Every structure is written in structure tokens, then in C-alpha cells.
Amino acid sequence: MNQKSTLSEPANAAPAASGKKNRLILLFLPVLIAVLLLLVPVPAGLEPHAWRFFAIFVGVIVGLIFEPLPGAVIGLTGVVAIALFSHWLLFSPAELADPKFKVATESFKWAVSGFGNSTVWLIFGAFMFAAGYDKTQFGRRLALILVKYLGRRSLTLGYAITFADLLLAPFTPSNTARSGGTIYPIIANLPPLYGSKPNDPSARKIGSYLMWVAITAACITSSMFLSALAPNLLALALVKSIVGFDISWGMWFLAFLPLGVLLILTMPLLAYWFYPPEVKVNDEVPRWAASELEKLGKLSRNEILLLVFVCCALLMWIFATAWIEPAMAALLVIVLMLWTGVLNWNDITSNKPAWNTFAWFATLVALADGLARVGFIAWLGKQGGMLLHGIDPQVAAVMLLIAFFLLHYLFASTTAHTTALLPAMLTVAASIPGINMPVFCLMLSTSLGVMGIITPYGTGPSPIYYGSGYLPTKDYWRLGTIFGAIFLAALMLIGYPWMVMMF
């Protein structure tokens, strides 16, 4: 026995060594990219310190794409590196020549500036709402109610899943948490009731259809609400920083409303046509949902309080922005949840995803603001404007929008996509006379959710449903292409004219 154990050690050690080697390569890659860019001659018209800042920024983006370390660690590393070498990366010669300019103080102020951003705090607040949904089981109750009343037919069950995501989306800033924490755990119980098994031909009975509807619904609702996807809030901060245009919760909702309603109402049916389930009717699912609801019992005090609080937050986000900052409204609701016992302080301090996202987005906001601070964004806009000179503004806007959407094939993170491409697209568009910037900003921002459908890695929930065993690789890529084309066409043919009319 000992001999067998000893002989197996090299075989076990080989994968571990290989994994360690790959991780070292991925750790080295962002540094290598940044160094190579630092060695490239500074482009004409750009200050040397701005080019060096951009080199570090690209290194951070590469790190976010391949993730050799958590995103928050990568972002914090970039901010700290720039602050430490701010003489060469952050400040202009004119600033450094000013005897009253305190380099150390200003470096630190810039490094922590993202932590004072209201959008970052709004993201944090929304994560606390999601914690309330999870702790009180109110989110699970909503989904089960819909399944109970709509679950007899496969098509209506698809609508039940879609409406469940729709109800949770405004208060859950992470579609990964929404899908992985509430929607997927419920629908994973449904296919076995039909004899539909993962990684098996029986998957097509109904499991494949349900999983595809769920990921598609998550993408649509992520675009429909400003607070349904964390990168949406990052996009809001970038738009305000680069263009100076404020997007409110109500403006976002109104901009995407006709397209969102149309997609919500038609998507389960489209999935039913393009990826039909073999089983059309089953009485077992509503009975299962009814039994699960019986276990939950009546609405608890905390569920009722949570419902009241999130509705109040939603009303403040839509109608009271002139009197209370949205982030402050979220903090107010958190305080009320703490005082009434819906959450306790340990729920706040132990919420690792919330604090991780808080640190991650704070550093990304600082880095994106830094690009504007050093003058890189202005230079990029000038160059992009020259490149598109002479092209009709509407044609240029459409070209940029399509490019922004399709380039998501290169990203496994909507956050990385937003951070890397949104500032560049906004800057180029702003330099072209005649482009309707409010509409362009809304089109770019609201596309962040729906573009996640195109690949099995395009958004947080994608790996969850792709890894369920119900969506074979060839089916996922085929359906991703079909629905991605539908979403992009709908954005252009319905969303764009509507936004032009409204804004």
C-alpha cells in the first residue's frame, strides 16, 4: 500500500506543478504587457506621463481578463503602483514644478478617491439588499410562487423563471448572485421531475430549455435596470466622469423599457422555438413548488419589512434624486434593516462578495478617472475623431455601438469590458460633431447586460448554466450567436429610435 502511494505521488504532483506554472505565466503576463508598452515610443501629442499611466492601466485590464489573482487585488495593485511612482505616472511636469504641490498627499488622495465615489457605495448598498433577500428567503418565495402558478406547461414555466429574475433584478446588483443564489438552486430541482438528466440525451426533455431561458433572462434584466448589474453602475460613473452626463435610475429604466418589455415577453417563446423542450406539460412541478412554499410558511415579519424597505429605496431612486443621493438612500435602508433586525452587523461584515466588489470597483473608478486626469482620454478622443472624420455622425455612432457589442467576445468579464472599452468609445464619440451623446451613452451602457449572452463566459451566470450539464458546448455557441444577433438588432431597430425620440 505504501509503495502504491509513493508511486502515485509524481502523477499527482505533475498537475499541481503544471497549474503552478500556468499561474506564474498569468501573473507575469500583465507585467510583461505593461513593460512592453512602457518601452514603446510616446505617441505624438501625448504627454510621457500619460502614456506611462496608460501602460499600467492596460496591464491591469489584462490582469482582470485572465485573473491570476482576484480582481480586487489586481485593481489595488495598479492603484498602489501608480501612486508610488506618481512622479512619472500621474503628475505633469507643471504640477511637479509647483512648490505648493504636495506629491505624497495628492498621490494618496487620488489612490483612495474611488472609495468616496457614490456609485461604489450604491453597489455596496445593493449587495446588502441581496443579503436581505437571501437571509429572509423572500427571493426564494417569489420564485416558488411563480413556479407554482405557471409551472404546469414548459412554456409558462419559462415565463415563471423570467418573471422571477425580473422581480429580483432591481434589488440585486450582481446577476451572478441573483442566478447562483436564488434562480439556479430552484430550477436545478425541476428537470429531474421530468426525467431530464444533465450530461445525458434526456437533458433535452426540458432541462436544456429551462437553463437557456434562465441565462437569457438574466442578461435581459441586467440591461433593464441600472441596479441589476454591478458594471452598469460602473458605467454610470465613467459616463459622468468622461462626458459629464448624469444617468438616473429612472432615465435608465425609461430608455430600455420598450425593448426590455418586448424581450421579456418574447424571449421564452423564442427559446421555445429555437430550442424546444420535448416535454410540454407536467403536473408534478407545481405540486413540488407548493410543497416547498408550505415549508416556508407564511410571510415572516422580516420578509414584510424587507419588501417595504426595498420598495421605499426604489421610490427614492426614481422620484427623490433631487432630495437624496441614491447611494445615501441605499445606506438609509441598510440602517433601517439593521435597526429592525432584518440584517445584523455580522451579516454586513461577513459579506465577502460585497466588500470584494466594493474594493474592486473603487480601484477601477480611480484608474478610469486617472486616464482622464493625465489627458489620455482627451488625446484619444482627438485621434478617434480624426479617424472617423467625414463619416456621417449616425453611421459613426452605429459603427461604434456594434464594435462595442461584438468586442465582448474577447472578454470573460463585463467589468473588464466596461473598464477597458467604455472610456475609449465615449471619448471617440464625443469628438465627432453631431452625435447625440446622451443617446449614445445610454445605448452603450444598456447593452452591457444583453451582450453577455453571446459566449459561455460572457457574464457571471454563464458558467453556472453552462456547467449545469444541460447546455452542450455546440448548443450554447449556436444559441448565443442567434440570441446575440436578435438582441443587437433589437437594440438598433427599437432601442435606438426610442432613445432618440425620448432624449
Side-chain angles (χ1 to χ4, degrees):
M1 293 295 292
N2 291 338
Q3 184 180 10
K4 182 179 179 180
S5 175
T6 303
L7 290 173
S8 66
E9 284 180 8
N12 294 334
S18 176
K20 186 176 181 181
K21 182 179 179 181
N22 290 338
R23 184 170 179 272
L24 288 173
I25 292 173
L26 293 179
L27 279 170
F28 180 68
L29 185 61
V31 178
L32 175 63
I33 296 296
V35 170
L36 289 176
L37 283 174
L38 288 171
L39 297 176
V40 171
V42 179
L46 188 65
E47 293 287 339
H49 74 286
W51 178 251
R52 298 183 200 115
F53 185 103
F54 174 69
I56 304 300
F57 180 83
V58 171
V60 171
I61 296 302
V62 172
L64 290 176
I65 292 172
F66 292 101
E67 285 197 326
L69 293 170
V73 176
I74 294 168
L76 188 61
T77 302
V79 166
V80 170
I82 290 171
L84 287 175
F85 297 97
S86 57
H87 280 81
W88 301 277
L89 299 172
L90 188 61
F91 303 126
S92 66
E95 289 174 309
L96 295 173
D98 186 351
K100 296 181 180 180
F101 188 79
K102 305 296 183 183
V103 174
T105 301
E106 295 302 320
S107 298
F108 179 76
K109 284 183 179 179
W110 171 80
V112 299
S113 62
F115 291 93
N117 185 279
S118 62
T119 303
V120 174
W121 281 101
L122 181 59
I123 294 171
F124 178 80
F127 265 95
M128 294 303 110
F129 290 7
Y133 268 87
D134 182 55
K135 185 174 182 179
T136 64
Q137 296 198 70
F138 185 64
R140 177 176 173 81
R141 183 185 296 276
L142 287 176
L144 287 171
I145 289 172
L146 289 169
V147 170
K148 176 183 176 180
Y149 292 105
L150 296 175
R152 184 172 180 271
R153 296 182 179 276
S154 300
L155 178 59
T156 55
L157 184 55
Y159 278 100
I161 293 169
T162 303
F163 292 151
D165 201 298
L166 182 67
L167 288 170
L168 296 173
F171 316 106
T172 315
S174 167
N175 58 5
T176 307
R178 187 163 70 248
S179 295
T182 301
I183 304 297
Y184 179 76
I186 292 175
I187 66 173
N189 292 288
L190 303 181
L193 300 176
Y194 295 82
S196 183
K197 301 175 183 178
N199 302 307
D200 187 82
S202 64
R204 285 300 305 274
K205 283 187 175 182
I206 194 171
S208 299
Y209 169 73
L210 296 182
M211 295 301 167
W212 184 253
V213 167
I215 180 59
T216 313
C219 291
I220 295 170
T221 58
S222 294
S223 278
M224 198 163 183
F225 304 101
L226 171 61
S227 50
L229 182 70
N232 289 351
L233 296 154
L234 176 62
L236 180 140
L238 294 175
V239 167
K240 184 176 181 179
S241 171
I242 295 167
V243 182
F245 177 52
D246 280 309
I247 302 175
S248 67
W249 197 99
M251 182 185 294
W252 183 296
F253 179 68
L254 180 63
F256 199 77
L257 181 59
L259 179 56
V261 170
L262 178 65
L263 292 178
I264 287 292
L265 293 178
T266 59
M267 180 275 300
L269 183 59
L270 290 173
Y272 197 80
W273 289 340
F274 286 109
Y275 207 41
E278 295 172 1
V279 177
K280 311 298 183 184
V281 180
N282 188 289
D283 294 321
E284 190 65 29
V285 173
R287 286 198 288 267
W288 171 81
S291 67
E292 292 295 307
L293 281 169
E294 286 180 10
K295 294 177 185 177
L296 287 178
K298 295 181 179 180
L299 273 174
S300 66
R301 165 190 173 274
N302 285 354
E303 285 180 279
I304 295 171
L305 286 172
L306 176 68
L307 179 60
V308 172
F309 292 155
V310 295
C311 287
C312 289
L314 189 59
L315 290 172
M316 286 188 284
W317 290 344
I318 298 173
F319 301 111
T321 53
W323 299 280
I324 183 169
E325 172 72 30
M328 184 56 66
L331 291 175
L332 170 61
V333 170
I334 291 172
V335 170
L336 291 173
M337 287 196 290
L338 289 169
W339 273 84
T340 55
V342 174
L343 293 177
N344 58 49
W345 187 242
N346 186 58
D347 295 323
I348 305 292
T349 57
S350 63
N351 195 323
K352 291 182 180 180
W355 290 109
N356 176 64
T357 305
F358 179 78
W360 183 9
F361 277 82
T363 56
L364 292 180
V365 167
L367 287 167
D369 283 345
L371 278 178
R373 189 191 189 285
V374 299
F376 183 87
I377 295 295
W379 172 83
L380 181 65
K382 183 179 179 181
Q383 299 301 312
M386 292 172 60
L387 187 64
L388 294 175
H389 180 71
I391 298 177
D392 181 86
Q394 301 303 320
V395 174
V398 169
M399 290 172 59
L400 291 171
L401 288 165
I402 293 175
F404 185 72
F405 191 97
L406 295 181
L407 283 170
H408 194 60
Y409 276 105
L410 305 179
F411 291 90
S413 163
T414 310
T415 303
H417 184 136
T418 306
T419 309
L421 295 184
L422 187 62
M425 294 292 179
L426 291 172
T427 306
V428 171
S431 69
I432 302 173
I435 285 186
N436 186 329
M437 283 307 294
V439 170
F440 185 79
C441 293
L442 286 166
M443 283 288 289
L444 284 184
S445 301
T446 56
S447 71
L448 292 171
V450 292
M451 68 173 59
I453 197 63
I454 60 178
T455 66
Y457 52 82
T459 188
S462 299
I464 297 173
Y465 294 109
Y466 178 58
S468 67
Y470 288 101
L471 294 171
T473 301
K474 63 177 183 178
D475 288 355
Y476 204 114
W477 281 99
R478 177 177 64 85
L479 292 167
T481 301
I482 292 170
F483 279 76
I486 292 171
F487 290 169
L488 180 57
L491 272 170
M492 294 299 176
L493 300 176
I494 299 171
Y496 191 66
W498 166 259
M499 293 181 201
V500 168
M501 182 176 70
M502 295 301 297
F503 306 104

